[in-house]
Amino acid sequence: MLKTLLSQVKQYKLASILTPLCMIGEVICEMIIPVLMAGIVDKGIYGNNMGYIFSTGGKMIVIAVLGLLAGLLGAYYGSMASTGFAKNLRKAMFDNIQTFSFSNIDKFSTSGLVTRLTTDVSNIQNAYMVTLRMAMRAPASMIVALVMSFIISPELARIYLGAVIFLAVVAVLLMRRATRYFKQVFEKYDELNESVQENVSAIRVVKAYVREDYENAKFKKAALNIYNMFVKAEGNVVYVSPLMTGTVYVCILLISWFGAHMIVAGNLSTGSLMSLLTYCMSILMSLMMLAIIFVMMTMAEASGKRIAEVIEEKADLTNPENPVMEVADGSISFDHVYFSYNKSSDEPVLKDITLDIKSGETIGIIGGTGSAKSSLINLISRLYDVTDGSVKVGGVDVRDYDMEVLRDQVSVVLQKNVLFSGTILDNLRWGDKNATEEDAKRACEMACADEFIEKMPDGYNTVIEQGGTNVSGGQRQRLCIARALLKKPRILILDDSTSAVDTATDAKIRKAFATMIPGTTKLIIAQRISSVQDCDRIIVMDDGKINGFASHDELLKTNEIYREVYESQTGVSGDADFDSASGQ
């Protein structure tokens, strides 16, 4: 874990080295000043030597300024190193997430990834800052203070040493109890983020069903869980500060008592006693800083493991050593394909799928809910890999292609249509970043999106809100289809992407496909027979298998499922649908 995290320090190594060096310089300056103060008291005041007082005072000012400068530089370099480290961690995670296949993404919840990119990285950033500054300063300050105390008076310094050992043991025992609670806190953060994400993304549904009170209660419960965990952890940590303060005050009383007797006996000077008391406060502050470091490192350990998991996660799907860089045509071939989302699953999602689709064909795909229609088309653009068998595009196994090349030529409009904040033109250019406005207009004409875009006040420069909430479901679908068309793909896949479009517009879109992109292979998943009946051939899916694969007319004669659904939708007889028909 440490190796993975520290590898992201990168260009901030120099700042990471300079920070502790500056802190050591600050400590040295702080430790010299009590010695000079003792000299002023013993030699200057008691010796009535004003020259010594002024010269030593001047030295103290210079050393104090140098200490201040060292502290400021330490803070500057520490901030640079910690914020830069956090930036690199976020970038490393985000970059690696972009390489994830769907199966990798399935391992991490969206809310979990958000927590790792935000809260967990902030914990690491704070811990790194504290480590660079306090973790070097506190031990150095404490060790130097103890050494100086032993130099001044070994007898009184033993009191410090005993106090340090006692407090170290107590702190370790208390922190060990707190550690397990800090480790559980971040799992609760995932639940909190999940509650917020669901509520914000589905706020219209929440209001439509008047579920605000329910959502408030769910959020309150998640927040309360975090509160309770922190209370348990802090309940153990809270004893550290009063114990340390009380112990140091006892040390001050003992040193004052025994020191006064030693001054009377002539074994200790007044200035030396003042130095010892100053070093006592330095040791107190050092111990307090060490306690803070221990708490933050405990929290950072849990966060670090979660961050390292994301950075170290290897994508299930990778390019071959010598990938094919060109897709010859839009032909598709499935050869005895089996597929499971879970490798250990007993029952595969797709079972012995064998079919051949010619380049330029228009293929309809229908079937009941859970019949694995989407799973079938996800294999074509290699969003998942087959469990057994092979899928070929353009006569080449999809696993032999460069994935970017393959996905540029296989354009998919998924069931869940997503638009991003920005103008309509910005969204369309996701399909082709170099597309002109004329290119975008032609794609929108094919997708029948130009009809409503031209009615908008700003046309193609109309701003789309996040998620496309300011356009209707049908408009969102048509924009996503136009975006996919801009890629000029060899294969176009529409996964139930016209479900929110009226039948007349659906027919226009299909007609445009047939006349304007005849060389593109088109796969259309739909629930309406009218959306696929004009296709060259239609695949009927049932329970992960191909129940039929033929033209509309042939399926009406030979396929019972298809015939029953057709009759129900055209009003010939009954009221069946795909789910009920396939279950017979």
Side-chain angles (χ1 to χ4, degrees):
M1 178 189 75
L2 278 176
K3 184 178 179 181
T4 299
L5 297 180
L6 292 178
S7 66
Q8 299 304 319
V9 175
K10 295 181 179 178
Q11 69 269 37
Y12 300 100
K13 288 179 182 177
L14 180 61
S16 299
I17 294 170
L18 289 174
T19 300
L21 291 178
C22 289
M23 302 316 298
I24 291 174
E26 184 184 22
V27 168
I28 291 172
C29 292
E30 287 181 356
M31 294 301 107
I32 291 174
I33 288 176
V35 176
L36 297 177
M37 286 178 59
I40 288 177
V41 172
D42 294 336
K43 298 177 182 178
I45 297 175
Y46 285 110
N48 196 25
N49 188 343
M50 292 302 295
Y52 183 86
I53 291 174
F54 283 119
S55 63
T56 306
K59 292 176 184 177
M60 288 177 65
I61 291 173
V62 172
I63 292 172
V65 171
L66 290 174
L68 176 62
L69 181 61
L72 289 173
L73 287 173
Y76 172 75
Y77 288 122
S79 298
M80 180 190 295
S82 60
T83 54
F85 181 40
K87 178 197 72 174
N88 288 345
L89 284 176
R90 287 194 178 96
K91 186 176 186 303
M93 278 197 288
F94 192 82
D95 287 349
N96 202 38
I97 290 170
Q98 302 310 303
T99 69
F100 286 177
S101 66
F102 280 17
S103 57
N104 289 116
I105 294 171
D106 292 343
K107 293 180 183 178
F108 303 98
S109 67
T110 303
S111 57
L113 289 173
V114 170
T115 304
R116 291 166 207 248
L117 283 162
T118 52
T119 305
D120 286 324
V121 172
S122 294
N123 287 335
I124 293 293
Q125 177 181 339
N126 294 333
Y128 193 62
M129 165 73 89
V130 167
T131 301
L132 290 179
R133 297 186 63 194
M134 292 188 185
M136 185 59 71
R137 190 185 193 285
S141 180
M142 187 170 64
I143 291 169
V144 172
L146 281 171
V147 170
M148 296 300 292
S149 299
F150 270 98
I151 291 173
I152 294 170
S153 175
E155 295 85 357
L156 295 179
R158 292 191 184 97
I159 296 173
Y160 289 148
L161 185 61
V164 169
I165 294 172
F166 168 73
L167 290 174
V169 171
V170 171
V172 169
L173 291 175
L174 290 175
M175 295 303 176
R176 285 182 64 184
R177 292 183 60 186
T179 300
R180 67 177 182 269
Y181 294 118
F182 282 124
K183 289 181 178 178
Q184 296 174 23
V185 163
F186 302 106
E187 295 177 4
K188 302 301 179 183
Y189 268 118
D190 289 351
E191 295 177 9
L192 183 71
N193 281 337
E194 183 178 5
S195 175
V196 173
Q197 181 186 357
E198 284 186 347
N199 183 272
V200 172
S201 61
I203 190 66
R204 287 169 174 78
V205 178
V206 172
K207 290 187 176 297
Y209 284 86
V210 197
R211 297 284 282 177
E212 291 92 343
D213 291 341
Y214 172 79
E215 288 295 318
N216 286 338
K218 188 169 71 170
F219 179 84
K220 183 179 179 180
K221 181 181 178 182
L224 185 62
N225 286 334
I226 294 176
Y227 166 79
N228 290 334
M229 283 297 174
F230 266 120
V231 167
K232 289 179 181 178
E234 297 292 346
N236 289 278
V237 175
V238 74
Y239 296 109
V240 174
S241 180
L243 274 172
M244 288 185 174
T245 304
T247 302
V248 173
Y249 284 155
V250 169
C251 288
I252 292 173
L253 290 172
L254 290 174
I255 289 168
S256 299
W257 175 263
F258 289 113
H261 282 79
M262 292 177 72
I263 290 173
V264 171
N267 297 325
L268 187 71
S269 67
T270 303
S272 296
L273 179 60
M274 290 179 60
S275 298
L276 285 169
L277 292 174
T278 303
Y279 288 134
C280 181
M281 295 308 297
S282 294
I283 291 171
L284 168 64
M285 294 304 297
S286 298
L287 288 171
M288 293 294 288
M289 284 191 284
L290 286 173
I292 293 172
I293 291 168
F294 201 96
V295 172
M296 297 195 73
M297 293 304 293
T298 300
M299 296 174 65
E301 181 186 3
S303 293
K305 288 179 179 177
R306 288 160 55 85
I307 291 170
E309 282 178 356
V310 178
I311 295 175
E312 293 171 356
E313 178 75 12
K314 301 296 183 185
D316 289 344
L317 306 182
T318 57
N319 282 333
E321 288 187 11
N322 298 301
V324 177
M325 301 301 292
E326 184 178 355
V327 179
D329 56 47
S331 62
I332 304 168
S333 174
F334 282 71
D335 184 13
H336 297 288
V337 167
Y338 289 82
F339 171 70
S340 296
Y341 290 102
N342 188 341
K343 303 298 182 185
S344 60
S345 177
D346 294 331
E347 185 74 11
V349 176
L350 291 172
K351 307 157 192 173
D352 197 20
I353 302 295
T354 298
L355 58 87
D356 288 293
I357 298 171
K358 298 175 183 177
S359 182
E361 273 193 298
T362 300
I363 303 296
I365 305 175
I366 63 172
T369 304
S371 61
K373 303 183 298 295
S374 296
S375 300
L376 181 77
I377 58 99
N378 282 341
L379 300 179
I380 298 172
S381 55
R382 206 189 170 198
L383 298 178
Y384 293 94
D385 266 346
V386 298
T387 304
D388 195 16
S390 67
V391 178
K392 294 181 180 180
V393 171
V396 177
D397 194 310
V398 293
R399 291 168 291 192
D400 294 333
Y401 280 111
D402 176 88
M403 284 190 288
E404 185 175 339
V405 169
L406 175 66
R407 290 172 185 171
D408 270 342
Q409 294 300 321
V410 181
S411 197
V412 183
V413 184
L414 298 171
Q415 284 177 312
K416 187 176 181 181
N417 298 286
V418 177
L419 295 175
F420 299 88
S421 54
T423 66
I424 288 177
L425 198 56
D426 291 336
N427 273 274
L428 293 172
R429 282 177 175 153
W430 273 68
D432 180 2
K433 61 183 179 181
N434 298 316
T436 64
E437 188 167 341
E438 289 303 315
D439 293 332
K441 287 180 178 179
R442 280 195 295 272
C444 288
E445 286 173 7
M446 279 191 281
C448 293
D450 59 320
E451 301 171 357
F452 68 86
I453 293 174
E454 291 172 355
K455 295 178 182 177
M456 292 181 169
D458 297 320
Y460 286 83
N461 292 313
T462 300
V463 175
I464 297 292
E465 295 178 6
Q466 185 178 14
T469 53
N470 59 331
V471 292
S472 70
Q475 290 172 339
R476 191 158 56 244
Q477 284 186 338
R478 283 179 276 174
L479 285 173
C480 289
I481 293 171
R483 182 174 63 189
L485 290 170
L486 266 179
K487 292 178 72 173
K488 299 180 178 64
R490 295 191 181 279
I491 298 173
L492 175 64
I493 299 173
L494 305 180
D495 188 355
D496 205 14
S497 303
T498 57
S499 56
V501 174
D502 61 85
T503 53
T505 303
D506 186 15
K508 288 181 183 179
I509 292 172
R510 287 185 283 109
K511 183 178 179 181
F513 287 171
T515 57
M516 302 180 75
I517 50 172
T520 298
T521 304
K522 297 164 283 290
L523 304 181
I524 303 172
I525 296 177
Q527 293 294 328
R528 295 189 298 231
I529 293 290
S530 60
S531 296
V532 297
Q533 67 181 22
D534 294 329
C535 293
D536 297 318
R537 288 184 291 173
I538 302 167
I539 299 172
V540 180
M541 296 292 297
D542 181 30
D543 193 27
K545 299 178 181 177
I546 294 179
N547 186 269
F549 184 27
S551 66
H552 168 73
D553 293 334
E554 290 174 341
L555 287 173
L556 283 177
K557 298 175 183 176
T558 61
N559 191 274
E560 184 179 354
I561 294 175
Y562 187 85
R563 184 171 57 254
E564 287 186 7
V565 176
Y566 172 77
E567 291 174 350
S568 70
Q569 291 186 2
T570 57
V572 175
S573 65
D575 58 356
D577 58 20
F578 282 113
D579 294 323
S580 60
S582 61
Q584 292 180 353

